[in-house]
Amino acid sequence: MDVTTPTPIAAQPIGFRRKAAAYFSLTKPRVMELLLVTTVPVMILAAGGIPNLWLVAATVIGGAMSAGSAGAFNCYIDRDIDRHMKRTENRPLVTGELSPREALVFSWTLAVLSTVWLALTTNLLAAGLSVAAIFFYVCVYTLWLKRRTEQNIIWGGIAGCFPVLIGWSSVTGSLSAEAWILFAVVFLWTPPHYWPLSMKYRSDYKEVGVPMLAVVRGRAVVGLQTILYAWATVVCSLLLIPLAPMGITYSAIAIVAGGWFIYETHRLYNLAIRDEDASPMRVFHGSITYLSLLFLAVGIDPLLPF
């Protein structure tokens, strides 16, 4: 199958609003939102309270540009396979709303702006971590791992962990054990978050030759691996309780939400081995809820006296 050059669908002139919306879509805003959900709570924990609001705003702006740059680069590189997948067939480089050149210039512009912005408004460590995140997502995951190994999501997911480190370092100017534990939580959470999605779109990934775990191993193996990583995620989240230390709010949410997350992955596996409708997107969306609740607790707990 030819997956080299996408065929633009749109031929008519594109207005300003539509063009702006296309650029915004290129940044993968849903992914960006999820990454930023982990940034602000970590800044609160690092500060032991409400940090300087200008610093929060500056970090969020820089982080959004950095994540948007990585997402745009990904869309540019994967434009050859995006047109063959239902999940990505409406991306602007497939529809022709943006040209490859426009996308590439936009990606580099965001990358440079985010780096300069974070260096000027936060510190050099945060800016350097931002560059590392973009490099890891674009070069290590998209260019190297994604089309070569079933381990792509495991190691490629490291890029999504960097907002935790960026948020912590912007407040403290350094990285401590608490930051690395939360980094590990996001790292371990990424496979059980993404693998159910790959189950739903297995035929798409198979068609374009991307060796997602669901393509090369089957539903039962995906379900089992999802369970193992979910358990590891929850156990890792509990390590923060004695170290930070965290109070009742975080402890309760980490245990209850973690237990629910684990239950959902077991349900997915049990349905998969019985060859029933496993509803993998239930785990996908549930994993987002779990991570959001966990990091909400990270941000609320330091503000409470218990």
Side-chain angles (χ1 to χ4, degrees), residues 46 125 165 168-169 172-183 243:
L125 177 57
L165 302 184
W168 190 278
S169 63
T172 65
S174 62
L175 297 174
S176 64
E178 296 95 325
W180 287 112
I181 286 177
L182 291 171
F183 177 97
L243 183 64

Side-chain angles (χ1 to χ4, degrees), residues 99-160:
S99 69
R101 182 179 182 278
E102 288 175 322
L104 188 60
V105 170
F106 180 68
S107 303
W108 276 109
T109 300
L110 281 182
V112 172
L113 286 177
S114 64
T115 304
V116 173
W117 173 266
L118 287 171
L120 293 177
T121 61
T122 60
N123 53 59
L124 292 178
L125 177 57
L129 289 168
S130 172
V131 172
I134 296 172
F135 174 83
F136 213 97
Y137 188 70
V138 175
C139 298
V140 177
Y141 171 63
T142 306
L143 288 174
W144 179 30
L145 295 174
K146 183 174 182 177
R147 308 192 195 195
R148 287 177 171 82
T149 172
E150 66 191 60
Q151 302 294 311
N152 47 20
I153 288 301
I154 297 177
W155 301 109
I158 290 177

